[in-house]
Amino acid sequence: MKNKKRASTIQDVAKAAGVSVSTVSRVLNGKLDVASETQEHILKVINKLGYTSNLAARSMRSHKKNLIGLVVPDIGFPYSIEIMKGVNRAIAESKFDLLLYTTGDVQKNGTALHEQHYVSLLNNSITDGVLIVASAAAEFITNSPIVAVDPHVINPHYPSVQGMNYQGAQEVMEYLIGLGHRRIGFISGRPEIGSAVRRLKGYRDSLTNAGIEVDEELIKPGDFTQKNGYTNACELLKMENPPTAIFAANDQSAFGVIQAAEDMGIRIPNDLSVVGFDNITEAKYIGLTTIDQFLEEMGYVAMQMLIKLINGEPLEVEVYKMQTKLLLRTSCQELTPVA
Amino acid sequence: MKNKKRASTIQDVAKAAGVSVSTVSRVLNGKLDVASETQEHILKVINKLGYTSNLAARSMRSHKKNLIGLVVPDIGFPYSIEIMKGVNRAIAESKFDLLLYTTGDVQKNGTALHEQHYVSLLNNSITDGVLIVASAAAEFITNSPIVAVDPHVINPHYPSVQGMNYQGAQEVMEYLIGLGHRRIGFISGRPEIGSAVRRLKGYRDSLTNAGIEVDEELIKPGDFTQKNGYTNACELLKMENPPTAIFAANDQSAFGVIQAAEDMGIRIPNDLSVVGFDNITEAKYIGLTTIDQFLEEMGYVAMQMLIKLINGEPLEVEVYKMQTKLLLRTSCQELTPVA
DNA sequence: ATAATTTACGGTATCGTTACCGGTATTGAT
DNA sequence: ATCAATACCGGTAACGATACCGTAAATTAT
């Protein structure tokens, strides 16, 4: 079973068919100056040998590869999954195939440098273009087409699709303040992520605009995970003067908050209002009020932009801003004044 | 902006650093016979030029690439997502990176031939090994390591991780029959998919074993989608003598069933018991009784097997059978005898 | 001091494929 | 019958990187 029978090459095919490699290559690439009998014969041989062309060799020589690279920090994250669904849809409608690249561990490797490395890797080699998700990215983009979803910098020098994080956060805050909440906790995302920073700013500015002083005690550093949401919520809820509402920077953190409240016997929404951000699939079932930023659609639009870029077509907009929408569910309630 | 400045190559680096390409290559690959000053100098130049090595060229010449390919039919499917999570975890613990390949449209392209093509493509070129999910696969596997998750054939000639579909279905049926149900509808998966066939067989055999005649009217051809589950459920529930329980071949179909029942004013579990298969994330929130086949774990184990294979280590088992577990939730109820 | 080894690097063949150039047959026009 | 045009196909040079071999200089052993 350990026979190292190496895969057959175009040379093998040529030899077996009794023609030159050039001719086989022509058949492979659908060139028309090949006699139809020859073509049929070669195809038969290809099939018999189970030959498939070597992607590496082809990419090196030729320049169209019908392959698009997608770089995401972690495919396990609901955030990534939603975007991937949209990407997938756009790919299905196109002639391109998708090559997804991930480092597998966002905590360890997810640095700008690391991701930039992958982008170059794909770009310089086997793909026609790259879609990069939620990343500080690519200073050294040379020639190849690239589009970013939620880039960390707000004005990258390549096209991007961006969620309206600042406005979305403001929408949430206006809603909560409208319900009468004054002490509103905030669980942030990792500070090196652009969208997290913008959501935090939306939180702060909204408070200020409403004439409410920002209490730094109510702002917790987070990392977008449920576990972190849990521990931060515990701290917030154990305060002497605890918040009456918590705005988590993403849905997963919000799930942690809900879990914490449950464990501490705090009722939602009666004793505590909770809002998330992202509207991942699970949010619907939990009844979490959250901001829908249409992640699936973002992936879809971004991929369409990238394909245009690859085809040399002009882009309508360089920065596509995706609308957000506040989805009211059952995790919030008007603040009942203490009797 | 349209300057076609081509990416820098190892040649450019060599020239800029005033050394030969060999030396640069040595630095790139961490060979030790390079003077440390030379090395530092070259690294500096590499950094300045923003050079990254061309994956295609490297793969062609060298043979270790620290890259594993994953071929899934559709990344949008919850089934795929669960497996990918496990794959991701194993990858994170390893030195390998992941390259995911998908055709984007399982309906159109998901044929054995198509998938086989991709496997060869990856295998012959840029990856050290391939993990292939839910596929009729690869007749022409030549040399490279390959592991399959849920292969359509039950005895492939390469290692695999398989869910216990037959036993799982039997487990469900014994449970439903134990609850007193005699007319049990079945919504199948696509017949070309091995696991779907085995689940159907489990359904049939369980009925026979229990001395219940199989009513072909109660068996609906499905395709694993929620929409299909919906329409099939409507048909079943409109029958003159409708089933008192429906066993859907996967959770998504089951969701369709639940939706249909809701729309028809049929209460679950009072009037109808529903069971799914897979235990995807959403099932928990819906309260769907289902078979957990530990998809995440399957992906994890499969990837570990593949890595062993790549490293030339022996495998403990060629076919790893993953246990299933019936998760009782709130979508089933004992059949109350008609008064 | 000389030989033997090690260190550090350069030159070149090679991986599998396609682009390009060119060369035979075959066909058609006059 | 002669020549031009076409159809079909082969040979070879790249693509960018690494493996391998070889060699000058530096180091060590004898």
Side-chain angles (χ1 to χ4, degrees):
Chain A
M1 202 62 182
K2 277 275 170 210
N3 58 336
K4 271 276 173 184
K5 185 179 62 173
R6 77 186 220 323
S8 47
T9 73
I10 198 173
Q11 321 264 0
D12 302 330
V13 174
K15 198 175 297 176
V19 296
S20 76
V21 288
S22 314
T23 307
V24 178
S25 175
R26 269 188 281 263
V27 171
L28 252 31
N29 293 287
K31 298 289 166 62
L32 23 82
D33 56 345
V34 168
S36 53
E37 330 165 10
T38 318
Q39 178 175 342
E40 270 179 48
H41 177 226
I42 291 178
L43 284 176
K44 215 167 286 176
V45 172
I46 286 177
N47 211 277
K48 198 173 66 182
L49 294 185
Y51 164 81
T52 49
S53 86
N54 183 311
L55 185 61
R58 173 148 41 109
S59 306
M60 191 161 57
R61 194 70 187 93
S62 150
H63 275 218
K64 44 183 183 114
K65 348 195 177 188
N66 287 347
L67 211 51
I68 289 181
L70 173 64
V71 178
V72 299
D74 190 318
I75 51 176
F77 275 24
Y79 169 87
S80 309
I81 290 173
E82 291 302 315
I83 290 177
M84 276 162 50
K85 284 182 187 168
V87 167
N88 205 37
R89 185 155 58 91
I91 285 286
E93 297 171 1
S94 79
K95 64 170 183 179
F96 292 94
D97 282 331
L98 184 67
L99 213 41
L100 185 147
Y101 208 33
T102 172
T103 66
D105 191 340
V106 63
Q107 301 291 53
K108 235 177 18 196
N109 308 328
T111 66
L113 210 68
H114 211 74
E115 280 159 4
Q116 180 179 310
H117 181 72
Y118 293 131
V119 174
S120 310
L121 211 57
L122 292 174
N123 245 350
N124 292 338
S125 346
I126 51 176
T127 60
D128 298 306
V130 172
L131 188 71
I132 181 165
V133 175
S135 161
E139 226 181 293
F140 284 113
I141 297 307
T142 53
N143 47 350
S144 317
I146 185 170
V147 172
V149 173
D150 269 348
H152 290 177
V153 287
I154 205 161
N155 276 322
H157 59 285
Y158 39 81
S160 62
V161 175
Q162 302 186 9
M164 297 180 69
N165 294 285
Y166 181 76
Q167 289 82 350
Q170 283 196 318
E171 212 171 334
V172 168
M173 291 304 289
E174 278 163 27
Y175 170 65
L176 287 176
I177 293 169
L179 287 178
H181 293 280
R182 288 299 172 269
R183 289 190 62 74
I184 303 172
F186 185 76
I187 296 176
S188 179
R190 291 191 294 139
E192 69 271 26
I193 296 183
S195 56
V197 174
R198 295 195 279 281
R199 288 174 202 174
L200 175 57
K201 190 164 185 335
Y203 164 86
R204 285 181 186 278
D205 290 359
S206 294
L207 285 176
T208 309
N209 290 345
I212 304 172
E213 200 181 346
V214 175
D215 181 353
E216 297 295 335
E217 297 269 313
L218 290 175
I219 300 176
K220 291 290 179 182
D223 65 359
F224 281 154
T225 65
Q226 180 163 352
K227 193 175 160 200
N228 178 284
Y230 184 91
T231 52
N232 273 324
C234 287
E235 288 183 24
L236 283 172
L237 296 171
K238 276 186 198 137
M239 288 172 64
E240 237 173 85
N241 187 8
T244 60
I246 295 181
F247 175 20
N250 73 336
D251 286 353
Q252 284 180 286
S253 305
F255 292 165
V257 174
I258 291 173
Q259 186 69 45
E262 209 167 274
D263 289 357
M264 295 174 71
I266 295 171
R267 292 167 306 164
I268 292 173
N270 313 54
D271 307 327
L272 180 72
S273 290
V274 179
V275 184
F277 207 112
D278 278 354
N279 191 32
I280 65 177
T281 312
E282 288 92 329
K284 178 170 63 179
Y285 303 114
I286 302 276
L288 177 69
T289 290
T290 188
I291 286 283
D292 193 346
Q293 55 171 339
F294 306 99
L295 290 171
E296 200 266 0
E297 187 69 12
M298 283 173 75
Y300 182 74
V301 170
M303 186 51 82
Q304 285 188 320
M305 285 169 70
L306 181 56
I307 289 174
K308 274 193 182 174
L309 226 52
I310 292 172
N311 291 337
E313 298 167 26
L315 249 42
E316 280 150 36
V317 287
E318 284 283 309
V319 177
Y320 188 106
K321 299 230 179 216
M322 183 65 68
Q323 290 299 321
T324 56
K325 186 173 175 212
L326 180 64
L327 296 181
L328 300 182
R329 289 202 267 247
T330 59
S331 64
C332 293
Q333 184 177 304
E334 200 162 348
L335 186 65
T336 46
V338 258
Chain B
M1 201 63 180
K2 276 275 174 218
N3 59 334
K4 271 277 176 186
K5 184 180 60 173
R6 81 187 215 321
S8 48
T9 73
I10 197 174
Q11 323 264 359
D12 302 331
V13 174
K15 196 174 296 175
V19 296
S20 75
V21 289
S22 315
T23 306
V24 178
S25 175
R26 269 187 281 264
V27 170
L28 250 33
N29 293 286
K31 298 287 165 66
L32 22 82
D33 55 343
V34 170
S36 52
E37 331 164 8
T38 318
Q39 179 175 342
E40 269 178 48
H41 176 226
I42 292 178
L43 284 177
K44 214 167 288 176
V45 171
I46 286 177
N47 210 278
K48 197 175 66 183
L49 294 184
Y51 164 81
T52 50
S53 87
N54 183 309
L55 185 60
R58 172 146 43 107
S59 305
M60 191 160 55
R61 194 68 186 92
S62 153
H63 276 217
K64 42 181 185 108
K65 348 195 176 183
N66 288 347
L67 211 51
I68 288 181
L70 174 64
V71 178
V72 298
D74 190 318
I75 52 176
F77 275 24
Y79 169 88
S80 309
I81 291 172
E82 291 302 315
I83 290 176
M84 277 161 50
K85 284 182 189 167
V87 167
N88 205 37
R89 185 155 57 92
I91 285 287
E93 296 170 2
S94 78
K95 64 169 182 179
F96 292 93
D97 282 330
L98 184 67
L99 214 41
L100 187 148
Y101 207 32
T102 172
T103 65
D105 191 339
V106 62
Q107 302 290 54
K108 234 175 18 195
N109 308 327
T111 66
L113 210 69
H114 212 73
E115 280 160 3
Q116 179 180 310
H117 180 72
Y118 293 130
V119 174
S120 310
L121 211 57
L122 292 175
N123 246 349
N124 292 338
S125 339
I126 52 177
T127 60
D128 298 305
V130 171
L131 188 71
I132 180 164
V133 175
S135 159
E139 229 181 291
F140 283 114
I141 297 307
T142 54
N143 46 351
S144 317
I146 185 171
V147 172
V149 173
D150 270 347
H152 291 176
V153 288
I154 205 163
N155 277 323
H157 58 285
Y158 40 81
S160 62
V161 175
Q162 302 186 8
M164 296 180 69
N165 295 286
Y166 181 76
Q167 289 83 348
Q170 284 196 317
E171 213 171 334
V172 169
M173 292 305 289
E174 278 164 26
Y175 170 65
L176 287 174
I177 293 170
L179 287 178
H181 293 281
R182 289 298 172 268
R183 288 190 63 74
I184 303 172
F186 185 77
I187 295 175
S188 179
R190 289 191 295 140
E192 68 271 26
I193 295 181
S195 57
V197 173
R198 296 195 279 282
R199 288 174 201 174
L200 176 55
K201 191 166 183 334
Y203 166 84
R204 285 181 186 279
D205 290 0
S206 294
L207 285 175
T208 310
N209 290 343
I212 304 171
E213 201 182 344
V214 176
D215 181 352
E216 296 295 335
E217 297 269 314
L218 289 177
I219 300 177
K220 291 290 180 183
D223 66 0
F224 282 152
T225 65
Q226 178 162 354
K227 193 175 163 201
N228 178 285
Y230 184 91
T231 53
N232 274 322
C234 287
E235 288 183 25
L236 282 173
L237 295 172
K238 276 185 196 139
M239 286 172 66
E240 235 174 86
N241 188 6
T244 60
I246 294 181
F247 176 19
N250 74 336
D251 285 354
Q252 284 180 288
S253 306
F255 292 164
V257 174
I258 291 172
Q259 185 70 45
E262 209 168 273
D263 289 358
M264 295 173 72
I266 295 171
R267 292 167 307 163
I268 292 173
N270 314 53
D271 308 327
L272 179 72
S273 289
V274 179
V275 184
F277 207 111
D278 279 354
N279 191 32
I280 64 178
T281 313
E282 289 92 330
K284 178 169 65 179
Y285 303 114
I286 303 274
L288 177 67
T289 290
T290 189
I291 286 281
D292 193 345
Q293 55 170 340
F294 305 100
L295 290 171
E296 200 266 0
E297 187 68 12
M298 282 174 74
Y300 183 72
V301 170
M303 187 51 82
Q304 285 189 319
M305 285 170 69
L306 181 57
I307 290 174
K308 276 193 181 177
L309 226 52
I310 292 172
N311 291 337
E313 297 168 26
L315 248 44
E316 281 151 37
V317 289
E318 284 283 308
V319 177
Y320 187 106
K321 298 231 179 213
M322 184 64 69
Q323 289 299 320
T324 56
K325 186 172 174 210
L326 181 64
L327 296 181
L328 301 182
R329 288 201 267 247
T330 59
S331 65
C332 293
Q333 183 175 305
E334 200 160 349
L335 186 66
T336 46
V338 257

